[in-house]
Amino acid sequence: MKKSNPIALLPIGVFLVLYLGLGILFEYVLKIPMGFYNIPIIIAFLAAILVACLQNRNVKFDEKLELMAQGLADKNIITMLLIFLTAGTFVGVVGRSSAESVAYFMLGLIPTRFAVVVLFVVACFVSTAMGTSVGTITLLTPIAVAVSTASGFELPLCIGSVMGGAMFGDNLSFISDTTIAACNGQGCAMKDKFRENFGIALPAALATVILILVLSFRTQLDGAVVESYNLIQIVPYVLVLIGGIAGINVFVVLLIGIISGAAIMLGTGQTAPTDLLANMGSGAAGMFETSMVAILVAAMCALIREYGGFEALLSAIRRVFKGKRGGQLGMGLLVGAMDIATANNTVAIVMANPIAKEMSKEYEITSRKAASLLDTFSCISQGVIPYGAQMLVAISAAAELGHEVSAFQIIPNLFYPGLLLVSSLIFIFVLPQKNSAPEQKH
């Protein structure tokens, strides 16, 4: 066991100051649109790694490079990177029109009175199938605006329902980068994490549906939503969702989605072969930053661990949180705090993974429970912060359609993240702790 050394955590502090400090400056002082996302997160991590390399003069620079290389030489890191790129390719293949078909198909089957509930359910389905909350919000916010304009439902309620559903899928999807990061970081099978997570997320989702229904029946309606859609474009999402829930290897699931999506897009004339290849490349390229962040974080954490930083953090957690239940709450608050600081739940999970791994041993928390906690608490905080990508994308999408709405109008309508927190706390502190079955590794 390394000697406790709080100064070893300085690189994380440097990253948070650079990323969070400059983000607040750009977003709220200089009023730069999407200010938080004008901060190059890779550069912030490079600066943090530089600080880590300058620490501990007793370790030569070549030895530090070896330590960082050892941090990268992990099966979980390689698996994570490959899944990121394959998932990005799938999203590039199926594109925007397929997600819109899913939404309009469901809206066409349901009376207008239930339109906001449908928005939430559609967002749950699409985000679970696509594995991206930001992508889901980008695709469905225009539909939420259409629902609000045509039916009379308040726009913040419609957008808040889409955002809540998007975070449901972000938390549970087999191809979500948060799921990938949490499962690979903790070394558990995705289907085990899903089963652990589903029992927490489903009650929150059902409570959200009930709350939206209560508000819907108190709203005066004055219209309906009617749009055309292509039913066959739903097939890739259905196949991915079924394959993921069935526990088929994630690479096989994604390949099925890519092949079926490509066949449908080409067969129906939705795209040309050259455009399809370009879209696949764009989808994979969209994961490059996430992949690079995973690499840089693994390298930085290897140095921090060697210097005794994680032992210092664990010592602090031990003093505050007692017992297995306290350890679970501590793990959740740890990743939640990192997400609030970084405004990126995937980055927060990647940063928290090594510390959570140590906490799992300390508090005897199973790897699937740890992965579930990391994913759930990071999605709770990411789903409500006013400077997160999800909120900023929703506001921007509405503004492009001529509708002004602020984060602080939407936040009171973000029912799902709040109820997910309540459900999580009930599962930690109220329900009896089950004896865990043997876990399956990747």
Side-chain angles (χ1 to χ4, degrees):
M1 185 175 294
K2 303 293 180 182
K3 184 178 179 181
S4 176
N5 180 18
I7 300 299
L9 296 170
L10 180 61
I12 295 178
V14 169
F15 167 75
L16 296 181
V17 169
L18 285 175
Y19 189 73
L20 184 60
L22 289 176
I24 292 173
L25 175 66
F26 282 18
E27 185 78 28
Y28 297 106
V29 178
L30 301 180
K31 305 296 183 181
I32 297 174
M34 298 289 284
F36 263 89
Y37 297 90
N38 286 321
I39 309 300
I41 190 170
I42 291 176
I43 301 302
F45 271 117
L46 283 174
I49 288 178
L50 176 61
V51 171
C53 288
L54 293 175
Q55 288 182 297
N56 199 340
R57 299 296 179 86
N58 294 326
V59 180
K60 295 180 180 179
F61 182 68
D62 283 346
E63 294 176 4
K64 292 174 181 176
L65 292 177
E66 289 179 5
L67 288 169
M68 288 189 283
Q70 290 170 10
L72 299 178
D74 188 311
K75 173 189 172 184
N76 292 328
I77 296 294
I78 301 301
T79 304
M80 189 189 308
L81 296 176
L82 291 176
I83 297 177
F84 281 156
L85 296 177
T86 312
T89 302
F90 168 71
V91 173
V93 167
V94 294
R96 178 190 183 102
S97 58
S98 295
E100 290 180 340
S101 291
V102 174
Y104 288 128
F105 167 70
M106 294 188 69
L107 284 171
L109 298 177
I110 306 295
T112 304
R113 175 67 65 183
F114 303 96
V116 181
V117 169
V118 172
L119 281 174
F120 175 73
V121 174
V122 168
C124 290
F125 178 86
V126 173
S127 60
T128 302
M130 287 183 66
T132 165
S133 56
V134 173
T136 299
I137 292 167
T138 301
L139 295 174
L140 298 186
T141 296
I143 301 173
V145 172
V147 168
S148 175
T149 302
S151 64
F153 285 111
E154 293 183 357
L155 182 57
L157 174 63
C158 294
I159 292 178
S161 297
V162 167
M163 289 182 63
M167 298 315 298
F168 175 89
D170 196 320
N171 183 203
L172 287 179
S173 174
F174 284 82
I175 58 173
S176 166
D177 48 4
T178 59
T179 295
I180 296 165
C183 290
N184 283 277
Q186 298 305 307
C188 76
M190 289 188 181
K191 62 181 180 181
D192 288 339
K193 180 262 183 187
F194 178 86
R195 290 165 181 160
E196 191 81 36
N197 229 157
F198 189 71
I200 300 172
L202 182 61
L206 292 176
T208 300
V209 167
I210 293 171
L211 185 54
I212 293 174
L213 281 174
V214 170
L215 295 175
S216 296
F217 278 93
R218 294 169 57 185
T219 302
Q220 181 68 38
L221 303 182
D222 51 29
V225 181
V226 180
E227 289 286 346
S228 60
Y229 56 85
N230 191 338
L231 194 60
I232 195 173
Q233 291 182 345
I234 299 174
V235 172
Y237 290 119
V238 174
L239 291 177
V240 167
L241 186 60
I242 293 173
I245 293 174
I248 299 173
N249 180 278
V250 65
F251 289 111
V252 175
V253 170
L254 288 171
L255 287 174
I256 291 172
I258 290 170
I259 293 170
S260 62
I264 289 170
M265 297 300 286
L266 292 173
T268 58
Q270 296 292 316
T271 187
T274 52
D275 292 334
L276 180 66
L277 288 173
N279 292 339
M280 292 172 71
S282 298
M287 290 290 194
F288 283 173
E289 183 176 76
T290 301
S291 300
M292 185 55 65
V293 165
I295 292 171
L296 294 176
V297 168
M300 182 180 72
C301 288
L303 292 179
I304 294 174
R305 182 188 294 107
E306 177 67 21
Y307 299 163
F310 289 167
E311 184 57 35
L313 192 54
L314 284 171
S315 296
I317 292 172
R318 289 188 198 105
R319 288 194 295 269
V320 177
F321 299 99
K322 305 297 183 182
K324 187 173 183 178
R325 295 177 190 272
Q328 292 177 48
L329 178 62
M331 189 180 292
L333 294 179
L334 170 70
V335 74
M338 288 185 172
D339 180 72
I340 291 170
T342 61
N344 187 312
N345 47 345
T346 305
V347 173
I349 291 171
V350 172
M351 291 179 66
N353 263 331
I355 304 170
K357 194 77 171 176
E358 298 297 325
M359 291 180 67
S360 295
K361 298 175 184 176
E362 176 76 18
Y363 291 97
E364 298 182 346
I365 300 171
T366 63
S367 61
R368 63 190 179 194
K369 171 66 77 175
S372 172
L373 289 168
L374 291 175
D375 203 342
T376 300
F377 276 83
S378 68
C379 284
I380 289 170
S381 54
Q382 185 69 24
V384 298
I385 54 176
Y387 50 86
Q390 289 77 4
M391 183 70 74
L392 297 176
V393 165
I395 293 171
S396 298
E400 289 177 4
L401 298 173
H403 294 263
E404 294 295 329
V405 62
S406 74
F408 298 101
Q409 289 175 304
I410 297 173
I411 288 173
N413 294 281
L414 293 172
F415 308 131
Y416 177 73
L419 290 169
L420 183 60
L421 174 61
V422 173
S423 182
S424 299
L425 294 177
I426 289 173
F427 268 76
I428 292 174
F429 291 106
V430 178
L431 298 183
Q433 299 285 315
K434 298 179 181 179
N435 293 322
S436 300
E439 298 183 274
Q440 297 183 30
K441 300 298 182 183
H442 289 293

